[in-house]
Amino acid sequence: MALPVAPPDCTAVVFISQFSGNDGPGYAEAAQAMELAAAKQPGYRGFVSARGADGVGIAVSYWADDAAALAWRKHSDHARTIARGRAVWYDAYAVSVATVTRSYDWQRGGA
Amino acid sequence: MALPVAPPDCTAVVFISQFSGNDGPGYAEAAQAMELAAAKQPGYRGFVSARGADGVGIAVSYWADDAAALAWRKHSDHARTIARGRAVWYDAYAVSVATVTRSYDWQRGGA
């Protein structure tokens, strides 16, 4: 897969979560639905996520600006899923919203 | 584990990588050594990482300011490990450095 590269001035939303272990299949389905829905929102610039065997997950989404990130947070499907996350899937989460100041990337055999 | 919460104005470094699959034990040992070394640097504010079964990993470190983040990037032990990452462990990576503008967190049973 291609790793998303965030241009300067875009908004990064870093979502760190501890999975509860409850309803894993429901969680996986909802996570995929949210990833697809986010990609259709105005100002979407990219997404990547990882979850390790210890249940700690990190999801990073990139947005054109803070308003676009906030609009996605308040989107009705997303708000419902966030509520379900608190009710069932997560034991804890922490969110940081940040403005990208610089970025760089590397790939094997790249220029 | 406690999830790190980033206060506004701190610098977040988001490191996204695709693991090559080469020398997993060496990688795990180096990753742990770097996590311990980073925590001793001036301006360190927290760290969290996750790597999924698909080999995509995300590591987020928080710093008091951009200078502290840059100093860690240039730290000799870290620079050696970065070079080894390009030589052996990674097929690709992308780094975003960003200034936190807002943050919030939640935990089950919390206030």
Side-chain angles (χ1 to χ4, degrees):
Chain A
M1 69 167 267
L3 303 178
V5 178
D9 294 331
C10 80
T11 294
V13 179
V14 179
F15 176 77
I16 302 167
S17 60
Q18 177 67 55
F19 186 56
S20 66
N22 298 323
D23 188 24
Y27 171 71
E29 188 180 337
Q32 187 169 25
M34 287 303 100
E35 186 172 342
L36 293 171
K40 293 177 183 167
Q41 301 310 305
Y44 171 86
R45 291 289 183 269
F47 176 82
V48 64
S49 68
R51 187 172 298 280
D54 60 357
V56 173
I58 305 175
V60 183
S61 59
Y62 294 111
W63 302 90
D65 51 34
D66 194 58
L70 269 177
W72 170 238
R73 184 185 177 187
K74 294 175 180 172
H75 185 287
S76 58
D77 289 352
H78 192 197
R80 256 194 305 274
T81 304
I82 291 170
R84 180 121 184 100
R86 283 194 292 255
V88 177
W89 296 314
Y90 299 127
D91 281 339
Y93 62 73
V95 180
S96 300
V97 182
T99 304
V100 174
T101 54
R102 52 197 167 82
S103 55
Y104 51 95
D105 65 314
W106 170 88
Q107 52 185 315
R108 186 169 307 286
Chain B
M1 71 166 265
L3 302 178
V5 178
D9 294 332
C10 82
T11 295
V13 180
V14 179
F15 176 77
I16 302 167
S17 60
Q18 177 67 56
F19 187 56
S20 66
N22 298 323
D23 187 24
Y27 172 71
E29 188 180 337
Q32 186 169 25
M34 287 302 101
E35 186 172 342
L36 293 171
K40 292 178 185 167
Q41 301 311 304
Y44 171 86
R45 291 289 183 271
F47 176 82
V48 64
S49 68
R51 186 171 299 281
D54 60 357
V56 174
I58 305 175
V60 183
S61 60
Y62 295 112
W63 301 90
D65 52 33
D66 195 57
L70 268 176
W72 171 237
R73 184 183 178 190
K74 294 174 179 173
H75 184 287
S76 59
D77 289 351
H78 192 198
R80 255 195 305 274
T81 304
I82 291 170
R84 180 124 184 99
R86 284 195 292 256
V88 177
W89 297 312
Y90 298 127
D91 281 339
Y93 62 73
V95 180
S96 301
V97 182
T99 305
V100 174
T101 55
R102 50 197 169 84
S103 55
Y104 51 97
D105 66 313
W106 170 87
Q107 51 184 317
R108 187 170 305 288

